[in-house]
């Protein structure tokens, strides 16, 4: 992990926790974290808990993310939530293109691109997810697949917009399976993504952009992953559901950098 980029630990709670349980977890997390953590911390509860957690996190360094968003700002889209709505409720970040959205709900790179632009338009920070399947990995197509997803997902963005986003590499075969890419594998993928960002947007953007690893990240493997030069944080699933576990992962990130990046400064306003 580079000292030029402030690490980011994001907990994705998926379809877990009632509002009461979410509030209890956040209260415990605040008790376990120092007043000024050495990394950025974000939690992404279900939509139903966003309003309550926004109140609970007021004045706290922990930030609030949504797990999904619709590409339009308003309209006849029953059951959907727009980026302006998420901004109003207190979100600072939005997860876009998670592998479960792609695999279970048929989202493709074009959908991700449209949602990404909607999130940027609402002055929020997108966490853009991408990753390969086990078949693509075994075929040796990991780098080709993830750089193609990056190019398609970020289509039409200019340098200023690219500066405002976070990328999360999450190998599909490691999501919720307990399997994890080794630190060397994660570093190779992250380095390839950063090289692609450099080619498209220049060195300044590539050096500032945070690239997270997601895929069965846990307290026992967090430090090893975070030690890699191009792993700037973690997108944590099941291990983020318990405050103690998430706090342990935050602690693993803290000693490595206390220097904020330009990318981090956009966390609240985008």
């Amino acid at each position: 992990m580079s000292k030029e980029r402030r690490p980011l630990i994001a907990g994705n709670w998926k379809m877990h926790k009632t509002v009461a349980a979410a509030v209890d977890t956040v209260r415990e997390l605040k008790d376990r974290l120092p007043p000024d953590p050495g990394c950025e911390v974000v939690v992404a509860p279900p939509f139903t808990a966003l309003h309550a957690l926004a109140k609970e996190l007021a004045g706290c360094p922990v930030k609030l993310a949504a797990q999904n968003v619709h590409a339009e700002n308003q309209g006849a889209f029953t059951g959907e939530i727009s980026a302006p709505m998420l901004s109003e409720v207190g979100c600072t970040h939005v997860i876009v293109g998670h592998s479960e959205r792609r695999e279970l709900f048929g989202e493709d790179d074009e959908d991700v691109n449209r949602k990404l632009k909607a999130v940027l338009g609402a002055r929020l920070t997108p966490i853009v997810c991408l990753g390969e399947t086990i078949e693509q990995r075994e075929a040796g197509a990991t780098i080709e697949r993830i750089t193609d997803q990056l190019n398609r997902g970020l289509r039409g963005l200019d340098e200023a917009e690219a500066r405002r986003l976070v990328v999360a590499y999450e190998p599909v075969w490691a999501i919720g399976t307990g399997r994890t890419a080794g630190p060397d594998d994660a570093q190779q993928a992250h380095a390839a993504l950063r090289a692609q960002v450099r080619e498209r947007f220049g060195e300044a953007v590539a050096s500032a952009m945070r690239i997270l690893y997601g895929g069965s990240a846990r307290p026992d493997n967090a430090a090893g992953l975070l030690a890699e030069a191009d792993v700037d944080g973690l997108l944590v699933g099941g291990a983020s559901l318990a405050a103690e576990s998430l706090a342990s992962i935050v602690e693993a990130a803290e000693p490595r950098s206390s220097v904020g990046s330009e990318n981090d400064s956009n966390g609240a306003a985008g």
Side-chain angles (χ1 to χ4, degrees):
M1 181 165 27
S2 170
K3 292 185 178 181
E4 298 175 0
R5 297 180 293 271
R6 190 180 190 197
L8 191 163
I9 303 298
N12 177 17
W13 293 353
K14 307 187 181 185
M15 198 173 72
H16 295 285
K17 296 188 183 293
T18 62
V19 174
V23 169
D24 286 344
T25 301
V26 159
R27 286 176 177 169
E28 182 181 350
L29 180 63
K30 290 194 297 183
D31 288 340
R32 290 181 176 275
L33 294 179
D36 185 19
C39 65
E40 186 174 7
V41 184
V42 178
V43 293
F47 285 133
T48 51
L50 288 174
H51 181 68
L53 290 198
K55 290 185 175 181
E56 190 66 36
L57 294 173
C60 171
V62 179
K63 298 178 181 179
L64 189 63
Q67 299 176 18
N68 187 32
V69 67
H70 195 274
E72 299 295 331
N73 286 342
Q74 61 182 6
F77 304 106
T78 300
E80 293 295 326
I81 303 291
S82 72
M85 293 174 181
L86 296 175
S87 177
E88 182 185 40
V89 82
C91 289
T92 56
H93 296 66
V94 182
I95 299 171
V96 177
H98 190 278
S99 64
E100 289 160 358
R101 297 299 311 177
R102 295 178 187 259
E103 295 294 311
L104 300 178
F105 300 99
E107 292 186 8
D108 58 21
D109 293 327
E110 182 178 348
D111 295 321
V112 171
N113 181 254
R114 294 175 62 231
K115 291 184 176 189
L116 165 61
K117 290 175 179 176
V119 172
L120 290 170
R123 307 302 297 172
L124 298 169
T125 298
I127 300 175
V128 184
C129 301
L130 43 81
E132 84 283 14
T133 64
I134 187 61
E135 293 81 10
Q136 291 162 342
R137 175 180 173 81
E138 291 178 346
T142 293
I143 302 303
E144 178 184 358
R145 174 58 176 156
I146 64 176
T147 54
D148 183 60
Q149 284 180 308
L150 183 74
N151 285 331
R152 292 175 182 271
L154 275 56
R155 181 176 294 163
L157 268 61
D158 60 26
E159 180 178 331
E161 291 170 324
R163 283 178 176 270
R164 295 169 48 205
L165 60 87
V166 175
V167 169
Y169 166 61
E170 44 159 24
V172 177
W173 50 269
I175 305 298
T177 65
R179 300 176 63 185
T180 310
D184 290 345
D185 292 330
Q187 169 59 25
Q188 183 180 16
H190 284 225
L193 289 169
R194 198 175 307 282
Q196 190 64 31
V197 172
R198 183 177 295 109
E199 181 177 328
R200 287 197 58 181
F201 300 106
E203 179 60 39
V205 175
S207 295
M209 182 178 289
R210 288 175 294 177
I211 305 177
L212 315 182
Y213 172 79
S216 295
R218 307 177 300 273
D220 64 348
N221 62 24
L225 289 163
L226 292 167
E228 297 297 330
D230 287 295
V231 178
D232 304 312
L234 301 171
L235 179 59
V236 187
S240 71
L241 293 174
E244 180 180 7
S245 175
L246 183 55
S248 294
I249 294 173
V250 170
E251 184 178 0
E254 285 179 340
R256 290 167 170 78
S257 175
S258 60
V259 180
S261 71
E262 181 176 352
N263 199 5
D264 173 62
S265 69
N266 293 314

